[in-house]
PDB file of all heavy atoms in Angstrom:
ATOM      1  N   ARG A 341     -13.857  31.601  -0.660  1.00 90.00           N
ATOM      2  CA  ARG A 341     -13.455  31.234   0.671  1.00 90.00           C
ATOM      3  C   ARG A 341     -13.108  32.478   1.466  1.00 90.00           C
ATOM      4  O   ARG A 341     -12.220  33.243   1.113  1.00 90.00           O
ATOM      5  CB  ARG A 341     -12.259  30.308   0.593  1.00 90.00           C
ATOM      6  CG  ARG A 341     -12.615  28.888   0.221  1.00 90.00           C
ATOM      7  CD  ARG A 341     -11.429  28.026  -0.005  1.00 90.00           C
ATOM      8  NE  ARG A 341     -10.467  27.980   1.094  1.00 90.00           N
ATOM      9  CZ  ARG A 341      -9.398  27.205   1.126  1.00 90.00           C
ATOM     10  NH1 ARG A 341      -9.188  26.334   0.118  1.00 90.00           N
ATOM     11  NH2 ARG A 341      -8.533  27.245   2.131  1.00 90.00           N
ATOM     12  N   ALA A 342     -13.762  32.639   2.649  1.00 90.00           N
ATOM     13  CA  ALA A 342     -13.480  33.779   3.498  1.00 90.00           C
ATOM     14  C   ALA A 342     -12.029  33.839   3.871  1.00 90.00           C
ATOM     15  O   ALA A 342     -11.409  34.904   3.974  1.00 90.00           O
ATOM     16  CB  ALA A 342     -14.361  33.698   4.764  1.00 90.00           C
ATOM     17  N   ASP A 343     -11.425  32.608   4.066  1.00 92.00           N
ATOM     18  CA  ASP A 343     -10.043  32.577   4.597  1.00 92.00           C
ATOM     19  C   ASP A 343      -9.028  32.888   3.509  1.00 92.00           C
ATOM     20  O   ASP A 343      -7.804  32.892   3.733  1.00 92.00           O
ATOM     21  CB  ASP A 343      -9.730  31.194   5.237  1.00 92.00           C
ATOM     22  CG  ASP A 343      -9.845  30.000   4.346  1.00 92.00           C
ATOM     23  OD1 ASP A 343     -10.503  30.177   3.244  1.00 92.00           O
ATOM     24  OD2 ASP A 343      -9.383  28.945   4.702  1.00 92.00           O
ATOM     25  N   ASP A 344      -9.502  33.026   2.248  1.00 94.00           N
ATOM     26  CA  ASP A 344      -8.566  33.421   1.119  1.00 94.00           C
ATOM     27  C   ASP A 344      -8.585  34.908   0.803  1.00 94.00           C
ATOM     28  O   ASP A 344      -7.852  35.320  -0.104  1.00 94.00           O
ATOM     29  CB  ASP A 344      -9.028  32.685  -0.152  1.00 94.00           C
ATOM     30  CG  ASP A 344      -8.608  31.276  -0.218  1.00 94.00           C
ATOM     31  OD1 ASP A 344      -7.817  30.814   0.660  1.00 94.00           O
ATOM     32  OD2 ASP A 344      -9.099  30.529  -1.134  1.00 94.00           O
ATOM     33  N   GLN A 345      -9.444  35.677   1.442  1.00 91.00           N
ATOM     34  CA  GLN A 345      -9.698  37.025   0.909  1.00 91.00           C
ATOM     35  C   GLN A 345      -9.061  38.187   1.628  1.00 91.00           C
ATOM     36  O   GLN A 345      -9.046  39.289   1.106  1.00 91.00           O
ATOM     37  CB  GLN A 345     -11.235  37.229   0.813  1.00 91.00           C
ATOM     38  CG  GLN A 345     -11.765  36.300  -0.259  1.00 91.00           C
ATOM     39  CD  GLN A 345     -13.252  36.383  -0.395  1.00 91.00           C
ATOM     40  OE1 GLN A 345     -13.826  37.441  -0.092  1.00 91.00           O
ATOM     41  NE2 GLN A 345     -13.821  35.310  -0.839  1.00 91.00           N
ATOM     42  N   ASN A 346      -8.569  37.925   2.786  1.00 90.00           N
ATOM     43  CA  ASN A 346      -8.110  39.002   3.622  1.00 90.00           C
ATOM     44  C   ASN A 346      -6.637  38.757   4.022  1.00 90.00           C
ATOM     45  O   ASN A 346      -6.306  37.668   4.587  1.00 90.00           O
ATOM     46  CB  ASN A 346      -9.042  39.072   4.784  1.00 90.00           C
ATOM     47  CG  ASN A 346      -8.631  39.949   5.897  1.00 90.00           C
ATOM     48  OD1 ASN A 346      -7.483  39.939   6.300  1.00 90.00           O
ATOM     49  ND2 ASN A 346      -9.541  40.773   6.333  1.00 90.00           N
ATOM     50  N   GLU A 347      -5.765  39.691   3.762  1.00 91.00           N
ATOM     51  CA  GLU A 347      -4.308  39.435   4.014  1.00 91.00           C
ATOM     52  C   GLU A 347      -4.032  39.078   5.415  1.00 91.00           C
ATOM     53  O   GLU A 347      -3.210  38.239   5.672  1.00 91.00           O
ATOM     54  CB  GLU A 347      -3.520  40.639   3.534  1.00 91.00           C
ATOM     55  CG  GLU A 347      -2.052  40.298   3.497  1.00 91.00           C
ATOM     56  CD  GLU A 347      -1.193  41.207   2.595  1.00 91.00           C
ATOM     57  OE1 GLU A 347      -1.810  41.945   1.741  1.00 91.00           O
ATOM     58  OE2 GLU A 347      -0.022  41.169   2.717  1.00 91.00           O
ATOM     59  N   SER A 348      -4.757  39.682   6.378  1.00 93.00           N
ATOM     60  CA  SER A 348      -4.392  39.415   7.825  1.00 93.00           C
ATOM     61  C   SER A 348      -4.865  37.971   8.137  1.00 93.00           C
ATOM     62  O   SER A 348      -4.198  37.314   9.013  1.00 93.00           O
ATOM     63  CB  SER A 348      -4.965  40.448   8.745  1.00 93.00           C
ATOM     64  OG  SER A 348      -6.341  40.271   8.895  1.00 93.00           O
ATOM     65  N   ILE A 349      -5.928  37.516   7.562  1.00 94.00           N
ATOM     66  CA  ILE A 349      -6.355  36.096   7.824  1.00 94.00           C
ATOM     67  C   ILE A 349      -5.341  35.103   7.195  1.00 94.00           C
ATOM     68  O   ILE A 349      -4.917  34.102   7.778  1.00 94.00           O
ATOM     69  CB  ILE A 349      -7.772  35.823   7.293  1.00 94.00           C
ATOM     70  CG1 ILE A 349      -8.773  36.690   8.129  1.00 94.00           C
ATOM     71  CG2 ILE A 349      -8.131  34.391   7.428  1.00 94.00           C
ATOM     72  CD1 ILE A 349     -10.157  36.670   7.592  1.00 94.00           C
ATOM     73  N   VAL A 350      -4.889  35.466   5.979  1.00 93.00           N
ATOM     74  CA  VAL A 350      -3.883  34.633   5.284  1.00 93.00           C
ATOM     75  C   VAL A 350      -2.652  34.541   6.107  1.00 93.00           C
ATOM     76  O   VAL A 350      -2.055  33.484   6.366  1.00 93.00           O
ATOM     77  CB  VAL A 350      -3.604  35.217   3.908  1.00 93.00           C
ATOM     78  CG1 VAL A 350      -2.480  34.349   3.240  1.00 93.00           C
ATOM     79  CG2 VAL A 350      -4.830  35.106   3.024  1.00 93.00           C
ATOM     80  N   ARG A 351      -2.239  35.718   6.694  1.00 92.00           N
ATOM     81  CA  ARG A 351      -1.032  35.747   7.556  1.00 92.00           C
ATOM     82  C   ARG A 351      -1.229  34.871   8.804  1.00 92.00           C
ATOM     83  O   ARG A 351      -0.336  34.191   9.248  1.00 92.00           O
ATOM     84  CB  ARG A 351      -0.610  37.181   7.978  1.00 92.00           C
ATOM     85  CG  ARG A 351      -0.336  38.074   6.824  1.00 92.00           C
ATOM     86  CD  ARG A 351       1.163  38.572   6.812  1.00 92.00           C
ATOM     87  NE  ARG A 351       1.445  39.279   5.612  1.00 92.00           N
ATOM     88  CZ  ARG A 351       2.241  38.916   4.648  1.00 92.00           C
ATOM     89  NH1 ARG A 351       2.939  37.831   4.768  1.00 92.00           N
ATOM     90  NH2 ARG A 351       2.401  39.630   3.529  1.00 92.00           N
ATOM     91  N   ASN A 352      -2.440  34.939   9.340  1.00 94.00           N
ATOM     92  CA  ASN A 352      -2.757  34.093  10.510  1.00 94.00           C
ATOM     93  C   ASN A 352      -2.625  32.633  10.178  1.00 94.00           C
ATOM     94  O   ASN A 352      -2.132  31.838  11.033  1.00 94.00           O
ATOM     95  CB  ASN A 352      -4.164  34.423  11.030  1.00 94.00           C
ATOM     96  CG  ASN A 352      -4.356  33.918  12.477  1.00 94.00           C
ATOM     97  OD1 ASN A 352      -3.384  33.857  13.250  1.00 94.00           O
ATOM     98  ND2 ASN A 352      -5.545  33.463  12.798  1.00 94.00           N
ATOM     99  N   ARG A 353      -3.064  32.247   8.981  1.00 95.00           N
ATOM    100  CA  ARG A 353      -2.948  30.805   8.610  1.00 95.00           C
ATOM    101  C   ARG A 353      -1.440  30.421   8.547  1.00 95.00           C
ATOM    102  O   ARG A 353      -1.132  29.316   8.899  1.00 95.00           O
ATOM    103  CB  ARG A 353      -3.578  30.591   7.201  1.00 95.00           C
ATOM    104  CG  ARG A 353      -5.112  30.685   7.251  1.00 95.00           C
ATOM    105  CD  ARG A 353      -5.739  30.858   5.909  1.00 95.00           C
ATOM    106  NE  ARG A 353      -5.540  29.614   5.091  1.00 95.00           N
ATOM    107  CZ  ARG A 353      -5.892  29.529   3.836  1.00 95.00           C
ATOM    108  NH1 ARG A 353      -6.397  30.587   3.229  1.00 95.00           N
ATOM    109  NH2 ARG A 353      -5.637  28.439   3.088  1.00 95.00           N
ATOM    110  N   VAL A 354      -0.646  31.350   8.063  1.00 93.00           N
ATOM    111  CA  VAL A 354       0.824  31.012   8.011  1.00 93.00           C
ATOM    112  C   VAL A 354       1.355  30.930   9.419  1.00 93.00           C
ATOM    113  O   VAL A 354       2.188  30.053   9.740  1.00 93.00           O
ATOM    114  CB  VAL A 354       1.562  32.073   7.142  1.00 93.00           C
ATOM    115  CG1 VAL A 354       3.056  31.820   7.155  1.00 93.00           C
ATOM    116  CG2 VAL A 354       1.019  32.029   5.684  1.00 93.00           C
ATOM    117  N   VAL A 355       0.891  31.809  10.384  1.00 94.00           N
ATOM    118  CA  VAL A 355       1.391  31.792  11.722  1.00 94.00           C
ATOM    119  C   VAL A 355       1.017  30.420  12.398  1.00 94.00           C
ATOM    120  O   VAL A 355       1.762  29.766  13.067  1.00 94.00           O
ATOM    121  CB  VAL A 355       0.849  32.917  12.553  1.00 94.00           C
ATOM    122  CG1 VAL A 355       1.115  32.753  14.071  1.00 94.00           C
ATOM    123  CG2 VAL A 355       1.440  34.283  12.075  1.00 94.00           C
TER     124      VAL A 355
END
Side-chain angles (χ1 to χ4, degrees):
R341 282 173 55 173
D343 61 344
D344 280 351
Q345 291 179 26
N346 171 311
E347 189 156 349
S348 73
I349 295 171
V350 173
R351 298 245 173 246
N352 196 32
R353 289 166 65 186
V354 176
V355 170

